[in-house]
Amino acid sequence: MAIAPDPMSQADALLRELGAEGIPHPGGTLLTHLHRVRTRLTTWNARPTLQLAGLCHAFYGTDGFPTALLSLDRRADLVAAIGEDAEAIVYSYASCNRKPTYPALANPVAPFHDRFTGGTHVPALPLRQDLAELTAANELDLATQDPTFRARHGTDLLALFTHFRPLLSEPAWDDCVAVLLGPTVA
């Protein structure tokens, strides 16, 4: 009887199959960025489902990184690799229209704006927490890899993560402070 590959291995294989290691991204390639985001979530003691979503967060592109590895009509392929719960986080992260959603993400009745459908809904607290943590992990990776990005966006990111504070775990918040207020690495 063969042992089924674990979801992390399946996700990594799918990322490689779809060319993530050949897509440029700050600090190397998209694949290396995705692994760093997952590692950061791991150091924050995020649950495995969120770590998996961190590894896969760019499959459908994002509001800040339009390159998609899978079209939305292939969501079932990602579900087969990582499961419904992790894929739902990936979809939510990818579909987030950040400009109207992020400023009020910590507000429990504020709408989430879906850039794919144009619709809105009010996500439950666990999804808001997942989105806040994933956003912080993603942006902190960019800030640590690109000093110019940190210099240009660090103040705004700290303000955003301060608004997210009720949604962030202690390790995530501590990392936000350390990266965005710590010494600049040349």
Side-chain angles (χ1 to χ4, degrees):
M1 181 166 140
I3 297 174
D6 71 281
M8 288 289 182
S9 297
Q10 290 187 148
D12 187 68
L14 188 55
L15 285 163
R16 291 174 191 282
E17 176 186 324
L18 296 172
E21 62 188 335
I23 299 172
H25 198 277
T29 67
L30 178 60
L31 184 64
T32 57
H33 164 70
L34 295 171
H35 277 281
R36 286 191 310 263
V37 169
R38 180 194 152 287
T39 298
R40 180 167 249 121
L41 288 163
T42 301
T43 65
W44 295 349
N45 300 311
R47 71 188 191 293
T49 300
L50 183 55
Q51 294 174 33
L52 190 53
L55 178 62
C56 298
H57 75 267
F59 261 98
Y60 309 129
T62 70
D63 194 3
F65 188 76
T67 302
L69 300 172
L70 282 177
S71 60
L72 293 177
D73 63 348
R74 292 188 59 198
R75 286 183 69 185
D77 294 346
L78 190 56
V79 169
I82 68 171
E84 288 182 18
D85 293 343
E87 190 278 337
I89 298 168
V90 171
Y91 176 85
S92 293
Y93 185 79
S95 71
C96 182
N97 184 342
R98 295 174 181 182
K99 188 173 182 179
T101 301
Y102 278 1
L105 187 65
N107 179 338
V109 297
F112 174 95
H113 299 264
D114 187 313
R115 71 186 184 99
F116 296 140
T117 68
T120 62
H121 67 279
V122 177
L125 177 61
L127 181 56
R128 288 176 184 276
Q129 292 168 322
D130 288 341
L131 292 172
E133 294 257 328
L134 182 50
T135 299
N138 180 67
E139 299 299 332
L140 292 179
D141 180 67
L142 296 174
T144 58
Q145 294 300 312
D146 183 352
T148 304
F149 176 89
R150 179 182 164 195
R152 184 177 303 133
H153 301 290
T155 301
D156 291 337
L157 287 174
L158 186 59
L160 176 65
F161 299 147
T162 300
H163 287 297
F164 284 6
R165 178 66 189 104
L167 302 173
L168 294 172
S169 65
E170 284 300 318
W173 175 247
D174 291 346
D175 201 14
C176 290
V177 171
V179 169
L180 299 173
L181 291 179
T184 304
V185 178

